[in-house]
Amino acid sequence: GVFEYLIDPNHSPDWIESFKEESAEPWPPRVGTTYRNSNYEGQWSEYLVEAFKPPRHFGLASVATTYHVEYLLSSPSPRATKLIYHEWVEEGELDDPFTIEPLDKLRKILEAAAPSK
């Protein structure tokens, strides 16, 4: 499902182009799990899971900054999933906010994988 795809670090580089790789420990994830990702310049970032309520809510907080991101999912119909993506910083402004492109890429990947009826 959509939630399982979102939490799987092996899929993150498929739709977040700046990620070269991502891992999560311990697995399966829960509040307190650490996600680590690297970009193509070899810089690593760490995030702690701060919200984990399958299959509806997944939230991460940066270890090094005040950045947070959360995914809220709902099912408005049996064949549809609504995703609300929310990112913020506790102080100041987002340095590099997500654009619609990675979220649109995620949508296309999930739609291609969905069984057709």
Side-chain angles (χ1 to χ4, degrees):
V2 174
F3 188 82
E4 292 77 16
Y5 188 91
L6 278 173
I7 66 170
D8 186 337
N10 295 310
H11 292 302
S12 299
D14 297 343
W15 63 281
I16 304 173
E17 291 183 9
S18 63
F19 285 14
K20 181 178 179 186
E21 65 181 291
E22 185 172 59
S23 64
E25 189 69 34
W27 192 262
R30 58 185 174 268
V31 171
T33 291
T34 301
Y35 277 72
R36 296 184 75 234
N37 63 62
S38 72
N39 63 20
Y40 286 89
E41 286 77 46
Q43 298 168 318
W44 286 88
S45 298
E46 284 191 7
Y47 302 86
L48 289 177
V49 175
E50 63 179 353
F52 192 77
K53 296 178 184 168
R56 302 279 180 235
H57 188 191
F58 178 56
L60 299 165
S62 170
V63 171
T65 68
T66 64
Y67 175 83
H68 299 262
V69 61
E70 69 180 359
Y71 304 86
L72 300 167
L73 292 89
S74 60
S75 298
S77 72
R79 292 193 30 95
T81 299
K82 178 181 179 181
L83 168 65
I84 297 173
Y85 176 88
H86 181 210
E87 64 180 345
W88 72 98
V89 290
E90 293 172 24
E91 296 178 12
E93 294 186 23
L94 285 169
D95 288 335
D96 190 17
F98 246 34
T99 61
I100 194 63
E101 284 81 10
L103 297 172
D104 192 47
K105 189 172 185 179
L106 173 64
R107 180 187 57 80
K108 289 176 182 173
I109 289 168
L110 293 169
E111 286 175 350
S116 58
K117 291 186 180 178

